[in-house]
Amino acid sequence: MLVYALVRILYTIPILLGVSLIAFGLIHLVPGNPLDLLLPPEAPKELVDQIKAKYGFDQPLYIQYFTWLGRVAVGDLGNSVFTGEPVREQLISALSNTLVLAIPAAVLGFALGIFLGAVAGFNRDTWIDKLASAIAITGVSMPHYWGAIVSVILFSVILNWLPATGMGPSGGLPQSWEDVTHMILPVATLSLIPMGVISRLVRATVLEINGQEFTAALRGKGLRRKRIIYHVLKNAAPPAMALMGLQFGYLLGGSILVETVYNWPGSGQLMNLAIFRRDIPVLQATVVVLSFFFVLINLSVDVLQAAIDPRIRR
Amino acid sequence: MNVHAHFVAQLHGARPIADPAASDALVDVEDMTVTFRSRERVVHAVNGVSFSLRRGEVLGILGESGSGKSVTLRALMRLLPDHAQVGGKVVVAGHDVARLDESRLEDVRGRAISMIFQEPMTALDPVFTIGEQIAETVRRHEGCDRRTAEARALDLLDMVQIPSARRRLKAYPHEMSGGMRQRAMIALALSCRPSVLLADEPTTALDVTVQIQVLLLLRKLQKELGMAVIFVTHDVGAAIEVSDRLAVMYAGRFVETGTAIDMIETPRHPYTNGLLDSMLSGDKRGQRLETIPGAPPSLGQAPAGCSFAPRCRFAATSCTLALPEPTAFSPTHTARCFRMDTKAERFAMLADA
């Protein structure tokens, strides 16, 4: 088990290097550069060269890559070309804003998804199954931005129960009830997709496991229904965890649509802005840091899966 | 070996066995039917099976795939899908299985009646250790603490002759060989000292050499623990090896029942004869192996006549019109066939040729 975990951790190193290389390369493949936006077209060539040199844009690409990688390794993510401010601070602020939504959205979506999926699977073809499946499919197929706008119209404009947009007055981690009311709509919107996909997967997995001989054998041993459900859910856990890892990764990237509708300054907005401004340092850093978290989450999922299902360890 | 003897002694001490004179039948089945009804179709899997079994007796049920033998076995502990209907009288170890409510049934399963499944790889839960799977059964039925249950699991693994049993308790099913897994499955089935053991093709998934070991082990444990065993198989040799009595099943009915000797020496039903002929044995070297032409009928509707008639060499018109009732040849031997007279002669002729 320990060996397995160590091997998995070592695997992440080449993955992260590859991700950084791709992130770096893709951004430089895209036409346009920040200087075109930053400087007037009639800027003197000396000034252009000077600024190019300042950001290292005059160097060959591979030199730029290694210089950048060396800085990233020691935690220096560079400065924004557009604002001149350190990328690190922007990124930390945007990511923590996103996390404030992503964590409760994940908890809510996963819990509801597992519950609905299990209930549907264990009550196959009954009205319970049909109701749970209808909820799940609605969650998956409703476009985020549409759901977001409709819920703003319903809960903020018509009913006037919840604030329409923006973070609460504390502007960071929620510290008052008012902060929490600002989170409710975006969290609910973000939890819909994880809820839907996880409940579909859990339902299918429960059905598949219920069809296997060993569940008949568990009944044959005289186990109570509760205990049999526990056996089935433990068997269903590894694939569900893999999907949850991916879904949480997506949530960390922030949703540009949801963050735009609710005007929430998270990582989605940061990336969106950086793309339009061709703010290469911000974009590179965001992509790499998000990938790092993504890889980290999937690493933990791998290790957890192996802890539950010993067949994965080999 | 000592641990083993100890377990057996414990078994006899722990559960006083009912007065054998009072009621001999541990299994009493009369006119049992099993019907699967779904929206698309109806399958009559078992069509009126009757038998009884005493303590310490082994009944072998022989038949092809699809003859209804596994369904018969599962019906004895009502381990069938929800859309299955069980009819007739099914009394096992004093419990009216067909009428018990779900909760009482759960108390009986795994305790008074237990089952060994065909494929130990798929019948054991892959994410629990062997020890956990045995111990949870013991705890479920005897309500003892974890430590006692684990100690019992260890005794059981010793009893089924699993080497380095203590280490095997912590093994997962995929870490064991097929033979080991089936031994573990036997240990699991015996964990609460059942009085009736149902074995559903327990050796079919195993290598031939391992098959014999497992059969001998089963036979030995059955004798020592005095269980009634129903052993379902399509392996004629294995059935003869372990059974006191045999029942040949075809299309959901017992077409012939008798002792192993009855069956081998004077098979009365053409189907039994066909099964025996299709067996490999040394004295048939150099001859072409006999087969039974055709395939078992679909069980969509209960047939009017003898189900075997379409495949039978001796079938006459009468065979397709009415269902042959069981005819007794001796106190132990019965068969359902209209053509017994001609057949005896023909078999004699075939034997001479």
PDB file of all heavy atoms in Angstrom, chain A residues 213-214 216-217 219-224 227 231 234-235 309-311, chain B residues 74 103 106-107 109-110 117 122-123 125 127-128 133 136-137 140-141:
ATOM      1  N   GLU A 213     -22.988 -12.094  -8.585  1.00  0.00           N
ATOM      2  CA  GLU A 213     -23.302 -13.266  -7.774  1.00  0.00           C
ATOM      3  C   GLU A 213     -23.071 -13.006  -6.283  1.00  0.00           C
ATOM      4  O   GLU A 213     -23.808 -13.497  -5.441  1.00  0.00           O
ATOM      5  CB  GLU A 213     -22.433 -14.429  -8.264  1.00  0.00           C
ATOM      6  CG  GLU A 213     -22.652 -15.740  -7.569  1.00  0.00           C
ATOM      7  CD  GLU A 213     -23.849 -16.516  -8.109  1.00  0.00           C
ATOM      8  OE1 GLU A 213     -24.724 -15.894  -8.743  1.00  0.00           O
ATOM      9  OE2 GLU A 213     -23.898 -17.722  -7.890  1.00  0.00           O
ATOM     10  N   PHE A 214     -22.067 -12.199  -5.950  1.00  0.00           N
ATOM     11  CA  PHE A 214     -21.760 -12.103  -4.522  1.00  0.00           C
ATOM     12  C   PHE A 214     -22.854 -11.400  -3.724  1.00  0.00           C
ATOM     13  O   PHE A 214     -22.986 -11.639  -2.524  1.00  0.00           O
ATOM     14  CB  PHE A 214     -20.377 -11.490  -4.280  1.00  0.00           C
ATOM     15  CG  PHE A 214     -20.269 -10.001  -4.446  1.00  0.00           C
ATOM     16  CD1 PHE A 214     -20.673  -9.133  -3.446  1.00  0.00           C
ATOM     17  CD2 PHE A 214     -19.714  -9.468  -5.600  1.00  0.00           C
ATOM     18  CE1 PHE A 214     -20.545  -7.765  -3.599  1.00  0.00           C
ATOM     19  CE2 PHE A 214     -19.591  -8.105  -5.760  1.00  0.00           C
ATOM     20  CZ  PHE A 214     -20.014  -7.253  -4.748  1.00  0.00           C
ATOM     21  N   ALA A 216     -26.005 -12.003  -4.203  1.00  0.00           N
ATOM     22  CA  ALA A 216     -26.885 -13.135  -3.883  1.00  0.00           C
ATOM     23  C   ALA A 216     -26.285 -13.923  -2.724  1.00  0.00           C
ATOM     24  O   ALA A 216     -26.988 -14.347  -1.809  1.00  0.00           O
ATOM     25  CB  ALA A 216     -27.071 -14.025  -5.104  1.00  0.00           C
ATOM     26  N   ALA A 217     -24.954 -14.081  -2.768  1.00  0.00           N
ATOM     27  CA  ALA A 217     -24.290 -14.825  -1.699  1.00  0.00           C
ATOM     28  C   ALA A 217     -24.425 -14.093  -0.356  1.00  0.00           C
ATOM     29  O   ALA A 217     -24.583 -14.720   0.683  1.00  0.00           O
ATOM     30  CB  ALA A 217     -22.817 -15.039  -2.042  1.00  0.00           C
ATOM     31  N   ARG A 219     -26.950 -12.243   0.515  1.00  0.00           N
ATOM     32  CA  ARG A 219     -28.306 -12.531   0.988  1.00  0.00           C
ATOM     33  C   ARG A 219     -28.368 -13.957   1.529  1.00  0.00           C
ATOM     34  O   ARG A 219     -29.023 -14.220   2.529  1.00  0.00           O
ATOM     35  CB  ARG A 219     -29.317 -12.357  -0.152  1.00  0.00           C
ATOM     36  CG  ARG A 219     -29.533 -10.909  -0.539  1.00  0.00           C
ATOM     37  CD  ARG A 219     -30.854 -10.744  -1.267  1.00  0.00           C
ATOM     38  NE  ARG A 219     -30.822 -11.399  -2.573  1.00  0.00           N
ATOM     39  CZ  ARG A 219     -31.851 -12.051  -3.117  1.00  0.00           C
ATOM     40  NH1 ARG A 219     -32.987 -12.127  -2.477  1.00  0.00           N
ATOM     41  NH2 ARG A 219     -31.739 -12.592  -4.305  1.00  0.00           N
ATOM     42  N   GLY A 220     -27.652 -14.857   0.853  1.00  0.00           N
ATOM     43  CA  GLY A 220     -27.641 -16.253   1.266  1.00  0.00           C
ATOM     44  C   GLY A 220     -27.020 -16.464   2.635  1.00  0.00           C
ATOM     45  O   GLY A 220     -27.286 -17.455   3.303  1.00  0.00           O
ATOM     46  N   LYS A 221     -26.153 -15.524   3.052  1.00  0.00           N
ATOM     47  CA  LYS A 221     -25.566 -15.621   4.387  1.00  0.00           C
ATOM     48  C   LYS A 221     -26.528 -15.127   5.450  1.00  0.00           C
ATOM     49  O   LYS A 221     -26.241 -15.198   6.636  1.00  0.00           O
ATOM     50  CB  LYS A 221     -24.300 -14.745   4.483  1.00  0.00           C
ATOM     51  CG  LYS A 221     -23.184 -15.137   3.551  1.00  0.00           C
ATOM     52  CD  LYS A 221     -21.818 -14.654   4.024  1.00  0.00           C
ATOM     53  CE  LYS A 221     -21.672 -13.161   4.048  1.00  0.00           C
ATOM     54  NZ  LYS A 221     -20.274 -12.737   4.273  1.00  0.00           N
ATOM     55  N   GLY A 222     -27.630 -14.538   5.011  1.00  0.00           N
ATOM     56  CA  GLY A 222     -28.612 -14.045   5.977  1.00  0.00           C
ATOM     57  C   GLY A 222     -28.344 -12.631   6.452  1.00  0.00           C
ATOM     58  O   GLY A 222     -28.947 -12.176   7.420  1.00  0.00           O
ATOM     59  N   LEU A 223     -27.437 -11.914   5.779  1.00  0.00           N
ATOM     60  CA  LEU A 223     -27.155 -10.542   6.205  1.00  0.00           C
ATOM     61  C   LEU A 223     -28.403  -9.672   6.075  1.00  0.00           C
ATOM     62  O   LEU A 223     -29.226  -9.872   5.191  1.00  0.00           O
ATOM     63  CB  LEU A 223     -26.031  -9.937   5.361  1.00  0.00           C
ATOM     64  CG  LEU A 223     -24.656 -10.582   5.489  1.00  0.00           C
ATOM     65  CD1 LEU A 223     -23.623  -9.729   4.774  1.00  0.00           C
ATOM     66  CD2 LEU A 223     -24.257 -10.767   6.943  1.00  0.00           C
ATOM     67  N   ARG A 224     -28.490  -8.676   6.967  1.00  0.00           N
ATOM     68  CA  ARG A 224     -29.601  -7.731   6.898  1.00  0.00           C
ATOM     69  C   ARG A 224     -29.397  -6.797   5.710  1.00  0.00           C
ATOM     70  O   ARG A 224     -28.278  -6.560   5.270  1.00  0.00           O
ATOM     71  CB  ARG A 224     -29.678  -6.909   8.190  1.00  0.00           C
ATOM     72  CG  ARG A 224     -30.046  -7.719   9.419  1.00  0.00           C
ATOM     73  CD  ARG A 224     -31.470  -8.176   9.361  1.00  0.00           C
ATOM     74  NE  ARG A 224     -31.893  -8.794  10.618  1.00  0.00           N
ATOM     75  CZ  ARG A 224     -32.902  -9.647  10.707  1.00  0.00           C
ATOM     76  NH1 ARG A 224     -33.584  -9.994   9.623  1.00  0.00           N
ATOM     77  NH2 ARG A 224     -33.248 -10.157  11.860  1.00  0.00           N
ATOM     78  N   ARG A 227     -26.727  -4.088   5.939  1.00  0.00           N
ATOM     79  CA  ARG A 227     -25.361  -4.575   5.809  1.00  0.00           C
ATOM     80  C   ARG A 227     -25.038  -4.854   4.330  1.00  0.00           C
ATOM     81  O   ARG A 227     -23.934  -4.613   3.865  1.00  0.00           O
ATOM     82  CB  ARG A 227     -25.207  -5.838   6.657  1.00  0.00           C
ATOM     83  CG  ARG A 227     -23.831  -6.438   6.653  1.00  0.00           C
ATOM     84  CD  ARG A 227     -22.875  -5.689   7.550  1.00  0.00           C
ATOM     85  NE  ARG A 227     -21.519  -6.207   7.377  1.00  0.00           N
ATOM     86  CZ  ARG A 227     -20.430  -5.627   7.858  1.00  0.00           C
ATOM     87  NH1 ARG A 227     -20.536  -4.511   8.562  1.00  0.00           N
ATOM     88  NH2 ARG A 227     -19.253  -6.140   7.664  1.00  0.00           N
ATOM     89  N   HIS A 231     -22.117  -3.284   1.874  1.00  0.00           N
ATOM     90  CA  HIS A 231     -21.212  -4.029   0.989  1.00  0.00           C
ATOM     91  C   HIS A 231     -21.255  -3.451  -0.428  1.00  0.00           C
ATOM     92  O   HIS A 231     -20.221  -3.247  -1.054  1.00  0.00           O
ATOM     93  CB  HIS A 231     -21.641  -5.503   0.919  1.00  0.00           C
ATOM     94  CG  HIS A 231     -21.008  -6.364   1.973  1.00  0.00           C
ATOM     95  ND1 HIS A 231     -19.880  -7.102   1.748  1.00  0.00           N
ATOM     96  CD2 HIS A 231     -21.346  -6.597   3.255  1.00  0.00           C
ATOM     97  CE1 HIS A 231     -19.543  -7.761   2.841  1.00  0.00           C
ATOM     98  NE2 HIS A 231     -20.426  -7.480   3.786  1.00  0.00           N
ATOM     99  N   LYS A 234     -19.572  -0.025  -0.691  1.00  0.00           N
ATOM    100  CA  LYS A 234     -18.117  -0.072  -0.625  1.00  0.00           C
ATOM    101  C   LYS A 234     -17.549  -0.497  -1.982  1.00  0.00           C
ATOM    102  O   LYS A 234     -16.528   0.017  -2.423  1.00  0.00           O
ATOM    103  CB  LYS A 234     -17.653  -1.034   0.475  1.00  0.00           C
ATOM    104  CG  LYS A 234     -16.155  -0.948   0.703  1.00  0.00           C
ATOM    105  CD  LYS A 234     -15.669  -1.751   1.888  1.00  0.00           C
ATOM    106  CE  LYS A 234     -14.146  -1.680   1.964  1.00  0.00           C
ATOM    107  NZ  LYS A 234     -13.552  -2.602   2.928  1.00  0.00           N
ATOM    108  N   ASN A 235     -18.243  -1.410  -2.646  1.00  0.00           N
ATOM    109  CA  ASN A 235     -17.817  -1.817  -3.984  1.00  0.00           C
ATOM    110  C   ASN A 235     -18.001  -0.702  -5.003  1.00  0.00           C
ATOM    111  O   ASN A 235     -17.259  -0.611  -5.974  1.00  0.00           O
ATOM    112  CB  ASN A 235     -18.602  -3.049  -4.436  1.00  0.00           C
ATOM    113  CG  ASN A 235     -17.983  -4.339  -3.961  1.00  0.00           C
ATOM    114  OD1 ASN A 235     -17.080  -4.870  -4.589  1.00  0.00           O
ATOM    115  ND2 ASN A 235     -18.436  -4.827  -2.820  1.00  0.00           N
ATOM    116  N   ASP A 309     -10.224  -0.736  -2.463  1.00  0.00           N
ATOM    117  CA  ASP A 309     -10.246  -1.924  -3.301  1.00  0.00           C
ATOM    118  C   ASP A 309      -8.830  -2.443  -3.517  1.00  0.00           C
ATOM    119  O   ASP A 309      -8.070  -1.868  -4.288  1.00  0.00           O
ATOM    120  CB  ASP A 309     -10.898  -1.605  -4.656  1.00  0.00           C
ATOM    121  CG  ASP A 309     -11.120  -2.866  -5.465  1.00  0.00           C
ATOM    122  OD1 ASP A 309     -10.468  -3.892  -5.170  1.00  0.00           O
ATOM    123  OD2 ASP A 309     -11.947  -2.838  -6.390  1.00  0.00           O
ATOM    124  N   PRO A 310      -8.467  -3.525  -2.850  1.00  0.00           N
ATOM    125  CA  PRO A 310      -7.082  -4.014  -2.907  1.00  0.00           C
ATOM    126  C   PRO A 310      -6.659  -4.449  -4.297  1.00  0.00           C
ATOM    127  O   PRO A 310      -5.475  -4.525  -4.576  1.00  0.00           O
ATOM    128  CB  PRO A 310      -7.109  -5.211  -1.957  1.00  0.00           C
ATOM    129  CG  PRO A 310      -8.527  -5.655  -1.928  1.00  0.00           C
ATOM    130  CD  PRO A 310      -9.337  -4.393  -2.049  1.00  0.00           C
ATOM    131  N   ARG A 311      -7.649  -4.723  -5.188  1.00  0.00           N
ATOM    132  CA  ARG A 311      -7.264  -5.178  -6.529  1.00  0.00           C
ATOM    133  C   ARG A 311      -6.578  -4.083  -7.318  1.00  0.00           C
ATOM    134  O   ARG A 311      -5.873  -4.343  -8.277  1.00  0.00           O
ATOM    135  CB  ARG A 311      -8.506  -5.651  -7.297  1.00  0.00           C
ATOM    136  CG  ARG A 311      -9.055  -6.945  -6.760  1.00  0.00           C
ATOM    137  CD  ARG A 311     -10.398  -7.239  -7.350  1.00  0.00           C
ATOM    138  NE  ARG A 311     -11.364  -6.195  -7.036  1.00  0.00           N
ATOM    139  CZ  ARG A 311     -12.609  -6.178  -7.495  1.00  0.00           C
ATOM    140  NH1 ARG A 311     -13.013  -7.100  -8.295  1.00  0.00           N
ATOM    141  NH2 ARG A 311     -13.429  -5.210  -7.138  1.00  0.00           N
TER     142      ARG A 311
ATOM    143  N   ARG B  74     -31.895 -22.907  -5.186  1.00  0.00           N
ATOM    144  CA  ARG B  74     -32.072 -21.561  -4.644  1.00  0.00           C
ATOM    145  C   ARG B  74     -33.461 -21.379  -4.059  1.00  0.00           C
ATOM    146  O   ARG B  74     -33.632 -20.624  -3.101  1.00  0.00           O
ATOM    147  CB  ARG B  74     -31.799 -20.518  -5.722  1.00  0.00           C
ATOM    148  CG  ARG B  74     -30.314 -20.490  -6.023  1.00  0.00           C
ATOM    149  CD  ARG B  74     -29.927 -19.395  -6.970  1.00  0.00           C
ATOM    150  NE  ARG B  74     -28.478 -19.513  -7.159  1.00  0.00           N
ATOM    151  CZ  ARG B  74     -27.671 -18.490  -7.310  1.00  0.00           C
ATOM    152  NH1 ARG B  74     -28.143 -17.278  -7.327  1.00  0.00           N
ATOM    153  NH2 ARG B  74     -26.381 -18.667  -7.448  1.00  0.00           N
ATOM    154  N   SER B 103     -37.783 -11.048   7.126  1.00  0.00           N
ATOM    155  CA  SER B 103     -36.897 -10.912   8.275  1.00  0.00           C
ATOM    156  C   SER B 103     -36.586 -12.275   8.908  1.00  0.00           C
ATOM    157  O   SER B 103     -35.433 -12.565   9.252  1.00  0.00           O
ATOM    158  CB  SER B 103     -37.544  -9.970   9.291  1.00  0.00           C
ATOM    159  OG  SER B 103     -36.881 -10.066  10.509  1.00  0.00           O
ATOM    160  N   GLU B 106     -34.234 -14.169   6.695  1.00  0.00           N
ATOM    161  CA  GLU B 106     -32.841 -13.749   6.855  1.00  0.00           C
ATOM    162  C   GLU B 106     -32.188 -14.448   8.054  1.00  0.00           C
ATOM    163  O   GLU B 106     -30.990 -14.710   8.055  1.00  0.00           O
ATOM    164  CB  GLU B 106     -32.769 -12.223   7.023  1.00  0.00           C
ATOM    165  CG  GLU B 106     -32.950 -11.482   5.711  1.00  0.00           C
ATOM    166  CD  GLU B 106     -33.158  -9.987   5.897  1.00  0.00           C
ATOM    167  OE1 GLU B 106     -33.149  -9.517   7.052  1.00  0.00           O
ATOM    168  OE2 GLU B 106     -33.353  -9.289   4.887  1.00  0.00           O
ATOM    169  N   ASP B 107     -33.000 -14.729   9.095  1.00  0.00           N
ATOM    170  CA  ASP B 107     -32.451 -15.437  10.248  1.00  0.00           C
ATOM    171  C   ASP B 107     -32.105 -16.885   9.910  1.00  0.00           C
ATOM    172  O   ASP B 107     -31.173 -17.458  10.467  1.00  0.00           O
ATOM    173  CB  ASP B 107     -33.458 -15.425  11.408  1.00  0.00           C
ATOM    174  CG  ASP B 107     -33.653 -14.027  11.971  1.00  0.00           C
ATOM    175  OD1 ASP B 107     -32.734 -13.199  11.801  1.00  0.00           O
ATOM    176  OD2 ASP B 107     -34.711 -13.769  12.568  1.00  0.00           O
ATOM    177  N   ARG B 109     -31.444 -18.122   6.715  1.00  0.00           N
ATOM    178  CA  ARG B 109     -30.386 -18.203   5.716  1.00  0.00           C
ATOM    179  C   ARG B 109     -29.015 -18.049   6.375  1.00  0.00           C
ATOM    180  O   ARG B 109     -28.806 -17.134   7.161  1.00  0.00           O
ATOM    181  CB  ARG B 109     -30.521 -17.065   4.716  1.00  0.00           C
ATOM    182  CG  ARG B 109     -31.610 -17.229   3.692  1.00  0.00           C
ATOM    183  CD  ARG B 109     -31.615 -15.968   2.871  1.00  0.00           C
ATOM    184  NE  ARG B 109     -32.641 -15.964   1.848  1.00  0.00           N
ATOM    185  CZ  ARG B 109     -33.123 -14.847   1.337  1.00  0.00           C
ATOM    186  NH1 ARG B 109     -32.669 -13.671   1.757  1.00  0.00           N
ATOM    187  NH2 ARG B 109     -34.041 -14.892   0.403  1.00  0.00           N
ATOM    188  N   GLY B 110     -28.103 -18.919   5.981  1.00  0.00           N
ATOM    189  CA  GLY B 110     -26.752 -18.810   6.516  1.00  0.00           C
ATOM    190  C   GLY B 110     -26.621 -19.453   7.877  1.00  0.00           C
ATOM    191  O   GLY B 110     -25.517 -19.629   8.380  1.00  0.00           O
ATOM    192  N   PHE B 117     -21.535 -21.678  -3.460  1.00  0.00           N
ATOM    193  CA  PHE B 117     -21.814 -21.245  -4.826  1.00  0.00           C
ATOM    194  C   PHE B 117     -20.808 -21.817  -5.803  1.00  0.00           C
ATOM    195  O   PHE B 117     -19.721 -22.245  -5.433  1.00  0.00           O
ATOM    196  CB  PHE B 117     -21.828 -19.721  -4.902  1.00  0.00           C
ATOM    197  CG  PHE B 117     -23.000 -19.111  -4.200  1.00  0.00           C
ATOM    198  CD1 PHE B 117     -22.985 -18.927  -2.828  1.00  0.00           C
ATOM    199  CD2 PHE B 117     -24.131 -18.753  -4.900  1.00  0.00           C
ATOM    200  CE1 PHE B 117     -24.071 -18.388  -2.170  1.00  0.00           C
ATOM    201  CE2 PHE B 117     -25.221 -18.216  -4.249  1.00  0.00           C
ATOM    202  CZ  PHE B 117     -25.185 -18.031  -2.882  1.00  0.00           C
ATOM    203  N   THR B 122     -16.589 -15.037  -8.004  1.00  0.00           N
ATOM    204  CA  THR B 122     -17.637 -14.037  -8.113  1.00  0.00           C
ATOM    205  C   THR B 122     -18.599 -14.073  -6.930  1.00  0.00           C
ATOM    206  O   THR B 122     -19.374 -13.151  -6.750  1.00  0.00           O
ATOM    207  CB  THR B 122     -18.458 -14.232  -9.402  1.00  0.00           C
ATOM    208  OG1 THR B 122     -18.979 -15.558  -9.379  1.00  0.00           O
ATOM    209  CG2 THR B 122     -17.614 -14.048 -10.628  1.00  0.00           C
ATOM    210  N   ALA B 123     -18.556 -15.149  -6.140  1.00  0.00           N
ATOM    211  CA  ALA B 123     -19.512 -15.247  -5.036  1.00  0.00           C
ATOM    212  C   ALA B 123     -18.951 -14.686  -3.736  1.00  0.00           C
ATOM    213  O   ALA B 123     -19.671 -14.574  -2.756  1.00  0.00           O
ATOM    214  CB  ALA B 123     -19.949 -16.685  -4.835  1.00  0.00           C
ATOM    215  N   ASP B 125     -17.205 -11.352  -1.873  1.00  0.00           N
ATOM    216  CA  ASP B 125     -17.101  -9.909  -2.083  1.00  0.00           C
ATOM    217  C   ASP B 125     -15.626  -9.532  -2.257  1.00  0.00           C
ATOM    218  O   ASP B 125     -14.818  -9.796  -1.370  1.00  0.00           O
ATOM    219  CB  ASP B 125     -17.716  -9.184  -0.884  1.00  0.00           C
ATOM    220  CG  ASP B 125     -17.809  -7.687  -1.118  1.00  0.00           C
ATOM    221  OD1 ASP B 125     -16.934  -7.130  -1.823  1.00  0.00           O
ATOM    222  OD2 ASP B 125     -18.751  -7.075  -0.600  1.00  0.00           O
ATOM    223  N   VAL B 127     -13.959  -6.800  -2.082  1.00  0.00           N
ATOM    224  CA  VAL B 127     -13.299  -5.752  -1.292  1.00  0.00           C
ATOM    225  C   VAL B 127     -13.348  -6.024   0.219  1.00  0.00           C
ATOM    226  O   VAL B 127     -13.076  -5.127   1.008  1.00  0.00           O
ATOM    227  CB  VAL B 127     -13.847  -4.342  -1.627  1.00  0.00           C
ATOM    228  CG1 VAL B 127     -13.694  -4.042  -3.096  1.00  0.00           C
ATOM    229  CG2 VAL B 127     -15.280  -4.176  -1.196  1.00  0.00           C
ATOM    230  N   PHE B 128     -13.660  -7.251   0.584  1.00  0.00           N
ATOM    231  CA  PHE B 128     -13.577  -7.629   2.002  1.00  0.00           C
ATOM    232  C   PHE B 128     -12.660  -8.844   2.124  1.00  0.00           C
ATOM    233  O   PHE B 128     -12.625  -9.685   1.230  1.00  0.00           O
ATOM    234  CB  PHE B 128     -14.967  -7.985   2.545  1.00  0.00           C
ATOM    235  CG  PHE B 128     -15.858  -6.792   2.767  1.00  0.00           C
ATOM    236  CD1 PHE B 128     -16.506  -6.188   1.700  1.00  0.00           C
ATOM    237  CD2 PHE B 128     -16.023  -6.264   4.040  1.00  0.00           C
ATOM    238  CE1 PHE B 128     -17.313  -5.078   1.896  1.00  0.00           C
ATOM    239  CE2 PHE B 128     -16.839  -5.160   4.236  1.00  0.00           C
ATOM    240  CZ  PHE B 128     -17.480  -4.564   3.170  1.00  0.00           C
ATOM    241  N   GLN B 133     -15.387 -11.684   5.896  1.00  0.00           N
ATOM    242  CA  GLN B 133     -16.618 -12.236   5.330  1.00  0.00           C
ATOM    243  C   GLN B 133     -17.148 -13.398   6.156  1.00  0.00           C
ATOM    244  O   GLN B 133     -18.359 -13.588   6.269  1.00  0.00           O
ATOM    245  CB  GLN B 133     -16.389 -12.662   3.871  1.00  0.00           C
ATOM    246  CG  GLN B 133     -15.982 -11.484   3.018  1.00  0.00           C
ATOM    247  CD  GLN B 133     -16.053 -11.762   1.529  1.00  0.00           C
ATOM    248  OE1 GLN B 133     -17.008 -12.316   1.028  1.00  0.00           O
ATOM    249  NE2 GLN B 133     -15.016 -11.361   0.808  1.00  0.00           N
ATOM    250  N   GLU B 136     -18.327 -11.801   9.734  1.00  0.00           N
ATOM    251  CA  GLU B 136     -19.581 -11.035   9.751  1.00  0.00           C
ATOM    252  C   GLU B 136     -20.795 -11.958   9.755  1.00  0.00           C
ATOM    253  O   GLU B 136     -21.827 -11.629  10.335  1.00  0.00           O
ATOM    254  CB  GLU B 136     -19.648 -10.048   8.583  1.00  0.00           C
ATOM    255  CG  GLU B 136     -19.991 -10.651   7.252  1.00  0.00           C
ATOM    256  CD  GLU B 136     -20.176  -9.615   6.151  1.00  0.00           C
ATOM    257  OE1 GLU B 136     -20.413  -8.444   6.474  1.00  0.00           O
ATOM    258  OE2 GLU B 136     -20.069  -9.996   4.971  1.00  0.00           O
ATOM    259  N   THR B 137     -20.635 -13.129   9.122  1.00  0.00           N
ATOM    260  CA  THR B 137     -21.741 -14.093   9.132  1.00  0.00           C
ATOM    261  C   THR B 137     -21.947 -14.651  10.545  1.00  0.00           C
ATOM    262  O   THR B 137     -23.067 -14.756  11.034  1.00  0.00           O
ATOM    263  CB  THR B 137     -21.430 -15.255   8.167  1.00  0.00           C
ATOM    264  OG1 THR B 137     -20.935 -14.710   6.952  1.00  0.00           O
ATOM    265  CG2 THR B 137     -22.672 -16.061   7.878  1.00  0.00           C
ATOM    266  N   ARG B 140     -23.468 -12.000  12.682  1.00  0.00           N
ATOM    267  CA  ARG B 140     -24.861 -11.769  12.321  1.00  0.00           C
ATOM    268  C   ARG B 140     -25.780 -12.768  13.014  1.00  0.00           C
ATOM    269  O   ARG B 140     -26.832 -12.415  13.529  1.00  0.00           O
ATOM    270  CB  ARG B 140     -25.015 -11.867  10.798  1.00  0.00           C
ATOM    271  CG  ARG B 140     -26.405 -12.147  10.272  1.00  0.00           C
ATOM    272  CD  ARG B 140     -27.341 -10.961  10.450  1.00  0.00           C
ATOM    273  NE  ARG B 140     -28.665 -11.273   9.938  1.00  0.00           N
ATOM    274  CZ  ARG B 140     -29.661 -11.757  10.678  1.00  0.00           C
ATOM    275  NH1 ARG B 140     -29.483 -11.977  11.948  1.00  0.00           N
ATOM    276  NH2 ARG B 140     -30.821 -12.031  10.137  1.00  0.00           N
ATOM    277  N   HIS B 141     -25.372 -14.043  13.027  1.00  0.00           N
ATOM    278  CA  HIS B 141     -26.292 -15.069  13.512  1.00  0.00           C
ATOM    279  C   HIS B 141     -26.099 -15.393  14.985  1.00  0.00           C
ATOM    280  O   HIS B 141     -26.998 -15.899  15.627  1.00  0.00           O
ATOM    281  CB  HIS B 141     -26.147 -16.340  12.683  1.00  0.00           C
ATOM    282  CG  HIS B 141     -26.674 -16.187  11.292  1.00  0.00           C
ATOM    283  ND1 HIS B 141     -27.989 -15.925  11.030  1.00  0.00           N
ATOM    284  CD2 HIS B 141     -26.064 -16.225  10.085  1.00  0.00           C
ATOM    285  CE1 HIS B 141     -28.171 -15.822   9.730  1.00  0.00           C
ATOM    286  NE2 HIS B 141     -27.013 -15.981   9.127  1.00  0.00           N
TER     287      HIS B 141
END
